[in-house]
Structures are given as structure tokens and as C-alpha cells.
């Protein structure tokens, strides 16, 4: 049965979850011998020396996802560190493999991604657990829903390079001799370690490093110290993991505050800001206003990095430099000074300007930690008495919004719901789900105070208030910075793409329902709230408070909301952004707007708007919902436009 495999890149035992390609077969976990070649991932029931039979193989050209998976809780045969390989066959399949320890898993992921580096159609999102019946247990979406978790960038990042350098340094041979090493590691057998396994090969636990400081607020939580390591005990829930610190204390921590040590890469460095856009990096550095202040961020071209540097020479401005790689894989900003890794390169330029506008002197300090999904593990009910209410931030449809502090430390915004404006019990139920929605471009719902009336909705505080007011207030500066306007649209689109992926419809997307925070971050607020409003004037399309100007024909005609009606509203929001906060359709009355929309007349191109961006708006205003693009597609289109228009 064996073909001669001449180009084995990596091999070893792992536990494989059955793929259940035929429905109604039961799930099992079996120990398999995996061989990675440049073309296939082959799985057999034993090593080639031991009369093995090939059980199956995956054509690596068809692979679109290679990601860490969540642990399968309660499955005793599935102990270890799972990861998954998504690939196209006659259908879409996912192979789950379970490595012995995090190092082994990360080695396999790196090896597979390296072989698949040139694959087309690599997916941006995935589900980290197996499908259960017709639903994805990770996000409770139906089987056709797109992934709910963002994939890692696959390119040969410096982490890989650093790892291979590290291997070389440790004299760990590559290729077939590494294979022998692999073979010596006793894989964890279904049900636990094989009897007689030497203690040195006991599975290592997942270790994470804190990216931010975190102060525990409930007794079951654990505080985090920045840069400290923690052992993960339970990562079965998406947002709160149970971990152990070096002193043996255990408790829950927000999962977005840590990163797996093996996958840490550049995130351990203060100067690395991940996916921050060019425009936001400029805002951040200008705000700091220090000569030589810098950050490194992911470039808009996947897999590349950009250095953004602030200098006051001649006049204060930010310069952006691509970090390039030469044929030997070394990194450089100016070809004369090449370094083995990006951290080395940064270090070099901390001491020598080497052709840059300035030496790299400092990084922005006191950057805010992200919001957590709820104020503690499994917490969404908030005690009124633990909120200190301060100044009024504004008032809207539901009542007054005030700035507040929870337990004297966490800044929050508190929406005090006017009694009788919403169906409270239904909303409170929904709030439990909504606290679990977490994305950089969504205003985080922390929870509700529902034990007394009026009920309070407690959310993340956003320093600069509503996007609409922000656009109007800074009209003159913003209209001269079209890149920033486009970036705002892209940020909203990212938040909406997350909602779309979770099959969550906003129903009232508009600039007035987005908020602006520090570093020019824009977040979508009030998603899904419209469903709980009791006021007919707001909910019925004939009502005076109904957002007619943001509504597509199918909503005006049949009140048919969908992610595609959100897309129409998003087009109008883009128009608001590029008009710096003008009212769509000017002073036209609602009835006149309806007439225009039904006739297929659309909003005109705003003065500050690029032609390409207006073309995107027009696609959002396709009369038939099915002709409108998805947020996911829109996001990619806008990023491509931004890359073309602006030098990265
Ligand atoms: P409603 O939903 O009742 O219409 P809004 O959400 O529009 O109320 O809030 C009214 C105003 O309060 C907003 O325009 C904004 O200025 C302010 N506001 C609301 N939420 C926040 C927040 N999370 N952070 C800061 N300001 C906020």
C-alpha cells in the first residue's frame, strides 16, 4: 500500500479525530502516524517499519485553514493540544489532530503553514471546535455560518524564523533527523499517558503570557501581571480562561489579555501594535508628540510589517517605512543594515538612525487595555451599588447616558433606560448573549443592572462620544484627511463583519450609533437593541422616529431586516462619514426619501469621497438585497482601495 515517500518534512504520532464524512457514524479518536510531505499529509495506523496501512491523505493544495482548536471538554480520548486543518474536497472538511504538548502542536502548525504558504483561498475565519449536529457550539451559529474566530496570519512571520533560529542554536537537526526526535516523543494515548511513559515526556501544559495587567474583581478571578507566564487549566470558554500563576493561585482571566507563549511572536514587544492602521498609528504618535516615538504594525499587505516613526524635524509628521527582507531572509530598513530578526533590527535602529528620519527613541506609553467580555467570568448582572455615576455624556432615545466607574476602577458608560421604552425582560435575556460579543470595533456590553428600576445598561466608555458629533466637530480637519475617513469606514466594517459572522443583525446602523475612543478608534454601538424598543414611532416604518434614511426598499416595504439591510445602512453611514456628518438627503421629508429610494435614486457622491469609495457605496445600495456584498467582502475591498490610494 505504501508509495515511496522521498520528501518527508515532518512525521510523528498524534491523535486524530474521525472526520465523519458519512453522516450518522460515531465520533472516535485514534492514534495515527502522520507524515507531512511537500504535497500530502498522510495518516497511517503505524510507523512505516511496522507494517502500516495508509488510512487517508489530504492534498495540501486544498488546505485553507491551519489553526489552534479549542479543547474538547469532557472527551477523555481527546487529551492534549488540538489543532485543525480545514480543506476542500468534494465538500468542506476539517481534520482535528491532537498533539502531545503545545510545542509539538506549534511545530506542526508551522510546518504545515510553511508547506501551504502559497495556497490560494486561505480563509480569514474559522470555528475552533467541531460541528455538533447542525450547529457550531463555539458561536451557536448554524452549520453554514462563516467562522467566528479570526485566523492567524500565515506568512512566514519572524516567529517562525526565530523558532528555526532557536532550533539551530539548540542544535536541533532539521528534516529526517528531526523526525527521529519526533519518534522518540511518546505521544499521549487516548485516555491519558501511556503506561511507563517517562516523566520527562509528560505532556506540557499550555502556557500563556499576559499582554496587559489585569486586576481580579471577583473571588474566582485571578490578577495578571504584564509579561508574566500562566499555565492554562481550562480554555473551554472563549472569553474567560482558568489559569494558574507561578505561586499556584488559580482563577479566571480574560482570554484577550494573554497570548500563548509559543505563538507570542512580536506581541511581547511594547512597540508592536498589531493590526493598527496607518491613520490610527499617526493619531497615536501625534498625540504622544515625542521625537523618535515609534511603533511597528502589520502592513496592509499581509505578512509584512511597517515601522511608523514620529519626527519633528522641519515640521511634526509621521514617516512610514516597510520592513523588507533580503534573499537571505534578513530584515532591513536600509539595505546597509540587515538583521536576523525584527527585534534585532529595532534594537539596531534604537542606537543608529541608519538612514531613518530619527533614531528610534521611545514608544507610546499607557495604552489602554482592551475591554473584557463582561466584568468578570460569567458575570452580566451588575450591582447598582457598585456603580459610581458621574457626568452626563448625552441623552438619546432611551434616556440619559452617564459616565461612571465600576468598583472605583473601571470606567464605564451607563445608559439609564427610561421606563416603558423597551421590553426589559427580553432584553435582559439577550444581554447575556450580547456580553459575549467581543471585537475591537464593537462597543463592549459589560452587563446590566436589572434588579431595580430603571434598568441600567453598562458598556465600555468611549472618550470622544458619537461618531456623528465627532465628524461635525472636526469637519475642517477631517475633510482634509480622507485617509482617516476611509479608515473610520473600514473600522466600522470590521465590527459589522464580526456581527455578520455571528448572524447578528444591527437594525439601526448609522453614524449616530457609532462611538469614537482614543487613538481614533471607532466602534459600533447599540447593536440589536432596536428589537426591544416598545415605541411604535421607532419600530414601524411609518413612525416618525424610524430611521427611514438608512433603510433599504425591503425594510420600507416589508420591514424585512437582515445583514443585507445592515449593508444598505452601512452605505449611508459611509456617505455620512465622507460628508463629515451631513444629514443624508438634506431636508427632504421621510415620504420624499421613500419615493426616491423606491425609484432607485441614490445619494450623490460627497465632495471628499474617492470615486472608488463611492462605487462601494453604490454596491451597498443595490435595490435587491442579494446583489449587495457582505461585510466580509466589503472589508477586503475597502482595504484594497486604501492600500492603492494611500501609500502604506
Ligand atoms: P440612545 O441609544 O438612548 O439613543 P445613545 O446611545 O445615542 O442613546 O447615547 C446618547 C449619547 O450619549 C451619545 O450620542 C453619546 O454622546 C453618549 N454616549 C452613549 N454611549 C456612550 C459611551 N459608551 N461612551 C461615551 N459616550 C456615550
Amino acid at each position: 500500500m505504501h508509495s515511496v515517500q522521498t520528501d518527508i518534512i515532518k512525521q510523528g504520532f498524534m491523535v486524530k479525530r474521525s472526520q465523519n464524512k458519512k453522516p450518522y457514524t460515531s465520533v472516535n479518536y485514534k492514534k495515527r502516524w502522520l507524515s507531512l510531505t511537500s504535497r500530502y499529509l498522510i495518516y497511517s495506523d503505524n510507523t512505516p517499519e511496522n507494517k502500516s496501512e495508509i488510512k487517508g491523505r489530504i492534498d495540501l493544495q486544498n488546505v485553507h485553514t491551519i489553526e489552534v482548536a479549542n479543547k474538547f471538554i469532557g472527551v477523555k480520548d481527546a487529551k492534549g493540544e488540538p489543532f485543525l486543518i480545514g480543506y476542500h474536497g468534494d465538500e468542506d472538511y476539517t481534520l482535528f489532530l491532537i498533539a502531545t504538548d503545545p510545542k509539538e502542536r506549534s511545530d506542526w502548525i508551522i510546518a504545515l503553514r510553511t508547506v501551504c504558504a502559497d495556497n490560494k483561498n486561505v480563509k480569514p475565519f474559522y470555528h475552533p471546535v467541531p460541528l455538533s449536529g447542525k450547529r457550531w457550539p463555539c458561536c451557536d451559529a448554524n452549520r453554514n455560518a462563516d467562522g467566528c474566530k479570526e485566523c492567524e496570519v500565515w506568512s512566514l512571520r519572524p516567529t517562525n524564523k526565530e523558532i528555526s533560529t532557536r532550533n539551530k542554536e539548540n542544535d536541533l537537526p532539521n528534516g529526517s533527523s528531526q523526525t527521529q526526535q519526533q519518534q522518540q516523543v511518546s505521544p499521549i494515548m487516548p485516555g491519558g499517558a501511556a503506561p511507563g511513559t517517562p516523566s520527562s515526556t509528560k505532556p506540557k501544559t499550555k502556557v500563556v503570557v499576559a499582554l496587559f495587567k489585569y486586576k481580579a474583581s471577583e473571588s474566582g478571578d485571578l490578577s495578571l501581571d504584564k509579561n508574566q507566564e500562566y499555565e492554562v487549566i481550562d480554555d473551554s470558554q472563549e472569553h474567560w480562561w482558568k489559569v494558574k500563576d507561578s505561586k499556584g493561585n488559580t482563577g479566571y482571566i480574560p482570554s484577550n489579555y494573554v497570548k500563548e507563549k509559543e505563538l507570542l511572536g512580536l506581541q511581547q514587544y511594547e512597540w508592536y501594535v498589531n493590526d493598527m492602521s496607518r491613520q490610527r498609528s499617526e493619531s497615536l504618535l501625534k498625540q504622544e508628540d515625542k521625537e523618535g516615538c515609534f511603533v511597528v504594525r502589520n502592513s496592509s499587505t499581509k505578512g509584512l510589517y511597517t515601522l511608523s516613526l514620529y519626527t519633528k524635524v522641519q515640521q511634526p509628521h509621521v514617516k512610514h517605512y516597510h520592513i523588507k527582507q533580503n534573499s537571505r531572509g534578513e530584515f532591513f530598513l536600509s539595505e546597509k543594515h540587515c538583521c536576523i530578526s525584527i527585534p534585532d533590527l529595532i534594537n539596531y535602529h534604537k542606537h543608529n538612525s541608519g538612514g531613518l528620519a530619527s533614531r528610534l527613541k521611545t514608544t507610546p506609553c499607557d495604552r489602554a487595555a482592551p475591554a473584557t467580555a463582561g466584568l468578570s467570568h460569567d458575570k452580566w448582572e451588575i450591582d447598582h451599588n457598585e456603580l459610581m455615576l458621574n457626568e452626563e455624556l448625552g441623552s438619546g432615545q432611551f434616556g440619559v447616558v452617564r459616565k461612571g466607574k465600576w468598583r472605583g476602577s473601571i470606567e464605564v458608560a451607563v445608559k439609564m433606560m427610561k421606563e416603558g421604552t423597551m421590553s426589559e425582560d427580553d432584553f435582559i435575556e439577550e444581554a447575556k448573549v450580547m456580553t459575549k460579543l467581543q471585537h475591537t470595533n464593537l462597543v463592549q456590553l459589560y452587563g446590566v443592572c436589572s434588579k431595580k428600576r430603571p434598568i441600567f445598561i453598562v458598556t465600555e466608555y468611549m472618550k470622544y462620544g458619537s461618531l456623528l458629533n465627532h465628524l461635525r466637530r472636526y469637519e475642517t480637519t477631517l475633510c482634509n484627511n480622507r485617509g482617516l475617513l476611509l479608515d473610520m469606514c473600514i473600522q466600522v466594517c470590521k465590527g459589522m463583519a464580526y456581527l455578520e459572522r455571528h448572524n447578528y443583525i444591527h437594525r439601526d446602523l448609522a453614524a449616530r450609533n457609532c462611538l469614537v475612543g482614543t487613538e481614533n478608534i471607532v466602534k459600533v454601538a447599540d447593536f440589536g437593541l432596536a428589537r426591544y424598543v416598545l415605541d411604535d414611532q421607532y419600530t414601524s416604518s411609518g413612525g416618525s422616529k424610524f430611521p427611514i434614511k438608512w433603510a433599504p426598499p425591503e425594510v420600507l416595504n416589508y420591514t424585512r431586516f437582515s445583514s443585507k439591510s445592515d449593508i444598505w445602512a452601512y452605505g449611508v453611514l459611509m456617505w455620512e462619514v465622507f460628508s463629515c456628518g451631513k444629514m443624508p438627503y438634506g431636508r427632504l421629508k421621510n415620504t420624499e426619501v421613500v419615493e426616491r429610494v423606491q425609484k432607485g435614486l441614490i445619494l450623490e457622491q460627497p465632495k471628499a469621497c474617492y470615486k472608488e469609495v463611492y462605487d462601494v457605496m453604490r454596491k451597498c445600495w443595490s435595490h435587491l438585497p442579494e446583489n449587495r456584498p457582505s461585510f466580509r467582502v466589503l472589508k477586503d475591498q475597502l482595504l484594497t482601495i486604501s492600500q492603492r490610494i494611500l501609500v502604506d
Side-chain angles (χ1 to χ4, degrees):
M1 281 272 324
H2 266 298
S3 58
V4 182
Q5 291 144 26
T6 47
D7 68 336
I8 303 243
I9 294 164
K10 185 171 173 60
Q11 55 189 355
F13 276 114
M14 271 190 284
V15 172
K16 171 184 162 292
R17 183 184 194 272
S18 54
Q19 293 186 73
N20 303 87
K21 291 184 178 173
K22 294 190 207 89
Y24 313 121
T25 49
S26 61
V27 175
N28 62 51
Y29 292 85
K30 288 193 177 139
K31 179 184 164 186
R32 289 283 179 242
W33 177 257
L34 276 297
S35 306
L36 174 67
T37 73
S38 57
R39 182 72 203 273
Y40 297 109
L41 178 67
I42 303 159
Y43 44 94
S44 328
D45 57 356
N46 212 332
T47 56
E49 302 78 39
N50 286 316
K51 267 216 250 155
S52 63
E53 187 188 337
I54 292 183
K55 294 286 185 187
R57 67 178 191 190
I58 294 174
D59 187 340
L60 295 169
Q61 290 180 61
N62 297 334
V63 168
H64 55 67
T65 310
I66 305 164
E67 292 296 331
V68 167
N70 287 3
K71 290 208 168 145
F72 315 129
I73 290 304
V75 183
K76 81 169 172 35
D77 290 340
K79 279 198 186 150
E81 302 300 322
F83 65 101
L84 60 89
I85 302 167
Y87 62 100
H88 305 292
D90 39 347
E91 265 184 71
D92 208 87
Y93 297 114
T94 309
L95 172 69
F96 283 86
L97 291 169
I98 301 159
T100 316
D101 57 48
K103 165 86 171 70
E104 187 185 63
R105 171 170 69 184
S106 114
D107 286 350
W108 271 102
I109 291 181
I110 289 166
L112 282 157
R113 285 182 183 169
T114 308
V115 177
C116 299
D118 293 328
N119 281 15
K120 302 277 177 296
N121 305 322
V122 170
K123 289 202 174 170
F125 297 101
Y126 75 108
H127 294 284
V129 294
L131 190 70
S132 168
K134 291 189 174 154
R135 301 197 77 76
W136 293 104
C138 40
C139 53
D140 199 31
N142 69 32
R143 64 179 305 145
N144 298 325
D146 290 331
C148 56
K149 198 163 176 193
E150 199 141 0
C151 293
E152 300 247 324
V153 179
W154 263 24
S155 57
L156 302 175
R157 280 169 173 264
T159 27
N160 302 0
K161 198 177 164 54
E162 280 163 11
I163 285 162
S164 77
T165 321
R166 209 169 57 207
N167 286 348
K168 271 188 218 127
E169 278 165 10
N170 295 342
D171 233 350
L172 226 181
N174 278 326
S176 57
S177 36
Q178 187 180 14
T179 301
Q180 284 157 16
Q181 279 250 348
Q182 291 284 332
Q183 289 173 17
Q184 284 159 20
V185 177
S186 215
I188 185 160
M189 293 294 294
T197 310
S199 59
S200 60
T201 58
K202 261 204 339 218
K204 276 188 247 153
T205 32
K206 175 154 124 183
V207 175
V208 291
V209 177
L211 302 174
F212 306 96
K213 190 179 164 64
Y214 171 71
K215 193 165 154 268
S217 51
E218 296 282 330
S219 59
D221 297 344
L222 187 74
S223 291
L224 292 174
D225 276 327
K226 198 172 163 173
N227 297 329
Q228 289 303 304
E229 292 182 10
Y230 300 83
E231 210 176 90
V232 177
I233 299 171
D234 179 0
D235 59 0
S236 56
Q237 290 176 43
E238 195 183 346
H239 302 301
W240 293 87
W241 289 352
K242 194 168 189 181
V243 300
K244 182 155 86 180
D245 69 13
S246 58
K247 296 191 195 101
N249 303 314
T250 62
Y252 283 94
I253 53 115
S255 60
N256 58 334
Y257 277 48
V258 295
K259 178 93 180 168
E260 200 171 327
K261 191 179 167 194
E262 296 283 342
L263 306 172
L264 196 58
L266 294 182
Q267 270 184 287
Q268 61 194 292
Y269 299 100
E270 210 77 59
W271 38 259
Y272 179 59
V273 291
N274 223 316
D275 264 339
M276 184 178 277
S277 63
R278 173 192 167 100
Q279 296 76 17
R280 285 191 52 221
S281 72
E282 287 186 1
S283 310
L284 172 65
L285 293 170
K286 282 181 186 158
Q287 193 181 302
E288 286 286 313
D289 193 28
K290 287 189 199 124
E291 177 68 21
C293 194
F294 75 100
V295 292
V296 173
R297 57 188 175 83
N298 297 349
S299 144
S300 58
T301 313
K302 251 193 170 179
L304 296 184
Y305 299 89
T306 304
L307 168 78
S308 301
L309 170 65
Y310 183 75
T311 172
K312 296 186 189 178
V313 176
Q314 286 166 354
Q315 64 176 68
H317 65 295
V318 177
K319 294 204 70 133
H320 303 273
Y321 303 91
H322 272 156
I323 299 180
K324 300 201 180 98
Q325 265 181 296
N326 63 19
S327 56
R328 292 191 301 280
E330 294 165 336
F331 296 90
F332 65 90
L333 288 160
S334 111
E335 246 166 314
K336 279 189 232 141
H337 313 288
C338 300
C339 295
I340 188 82
S341 68
I342 293 181
D344 282 352
L345 182 70
I346 297 302
N347 223 0
Y348 173 82
H349 286 283
K350 278 186 179 170
H351 300 102
N352 310 279
S353 65
L356 304 182
S358 154
R359 191 164 63 74
L360 306 180
K361 292 183 181 162
T362 172
T363 49
C365 44
D366 292 336
R367 296 195 57 221
T372 53
L375 290 168
S376 168
H377 164 244
D378 242 352
K379 182 181 175 77
W380 52 269
E381 175 66 45
I382 295 170
D383 186 344
H384 275 80
N385 299 321
E386 294 183 344
L387 283 174
M388 192 170 71
L389 295 176
N390 300 318
E391 74 267 25
E392 192 174 313
L393 296 169
S395 63
Q397 165 79 16
F398 301 107
V400 174
V401 182
R402 285 175 67 177
K403 189 174 171 184
K405 261 207 175 144
W406 182 69
R407 293 202 182 158
S409 66
I410 298 182
E411 278 191 328
V412 294
V414 182
K415 200 179 268 203
M416 307 161 92
M417 307 301 283
K418 250 188 281 176
E419 278 176 82
T421 52
M422 82 178 326
S423 57
E424 293 177 351
D425 292 343
D426 292 343
F427 171 73
I428 292 163
E429 257 325 288
E430 177 68 8
K432 293 181 200 169
V433 177
M434 284 161 82
T435 52
K436 296 206 166 91
L437 295 171
Q438 182 176 52
H439 187 274
T440 325
N441 300 110
L442 294 183
V443 174
Q444 183 66 49
L445 174 66
Y446 284 136
V448 290
C449 304
S450 66
K451 298 275 186 260
K452 282 193 205 160
R453 294 295 180 267
I455 64 165
F456 293 172
I457 298 180
V458 183
T459 67
E460 173 183 6
Y461 166 68
M462 299 288 288
K463 190 168 175 188
Y464 297 108
S466 97
L467 173 61
L468 183 62
N469 288 339
H470 190 75
L471 289 165
R472 289 177 178 170
R473 197 173 309 137
Y474 298 105
E475 181 181 344
T476 20
T477 26
L478 282 175
C479 277
N480 290 322
N481 192 344
R482 301 192 293 172
L484 204 54
L485 298 176
L486 182 53
D487 185 56
M488 288 174 167
C489 293
I490 293 173
Q491 291 191 60
V492 172
C493 194
K494 286 181 176 173
M496 289 306 297
Y498 175 93
L499 288 184
E500 177 184 74
R501 242 174 17 250
H502 287 78
N503 295 325
Y504 212 93
I505 308 169
H506 191 301
R507 290 180 167 81
D508 194 7
L509 179 62
R512 63 181 173 280
N513 282 330
C514 296
L515 295 165
V516 184
T518 47
E519 300 171 12
N520 263 319
I521 198 152
V522 181
K523 303 195 185 207
V524 178
D526 289 345
F527 32 91
L529 222 56
R531 279 172 299 165
Y532 305 99
V533 178
L534 291 174
D535 186 348
D536 276 356
Q537 292 302 316
Y538 177 83
T539 52
S540 109
S541 60
S544 60
K545 295 181 196 158
F546 189 86
I548 294 275
K549 293 177 169 178
W550 287 260
E554 75 276 11
V555 167
L556 298 174
N557 294 333
Y558 323 105
T559 332
R560 192 177 291 155
F561 289 98
S562 65
S563 289
K564 298 292 186 189
S565 61
D566 280 350
I567 287 277
W568 178 290
Y570 176 74
V572 181
L573 178 144
M574 287 177 76
W575 186 93
E576 293 181 273
V577 170
F578 277 92
S579 321
C580 287
K582 292 217 167 58
M583 174 58 95
Y585 308 96
R587 287 175 204 276
L588 285 192
K589 290 203 204 82
N590 276 353
T591 45
E592 293 168 312
V593 173
V594 174
E595 250 171 57
R596 281 180 69 115
V597 170
Q598 305 286 24
K599 276 196 217 144
L601 294 172
I602 54 166
L603 289 160
E604 76 289 356
Q605 180 173 341
K607 265 207 222 87
C609 187
Y610 304 98
K611 156 113 186 15
E612 291 95 323
V613 175
Y614 187 57
D615 289 342
V616 171
M617 289 181 203
R618 287 172 35 178
K619 283 191 207 145
C620 297
W621 299 326
S622 300
H623 206 80
L624 293 175
E626 58 270 28
N627 291 344
R628 294 172 212 147
S630 65
F631 281 105
R632 183 168 148 185
V633 166
L634 271 189
K635 184 185 82 178
D636 288 340
Q637 287 179 352
L638 291 173
L639 284 169
T640 311
I641 293 174
S642 128
Q643 207 179 353
R644 232 189 0 249
I645 295 176
L646 313 159
V647 195
D648 182 49

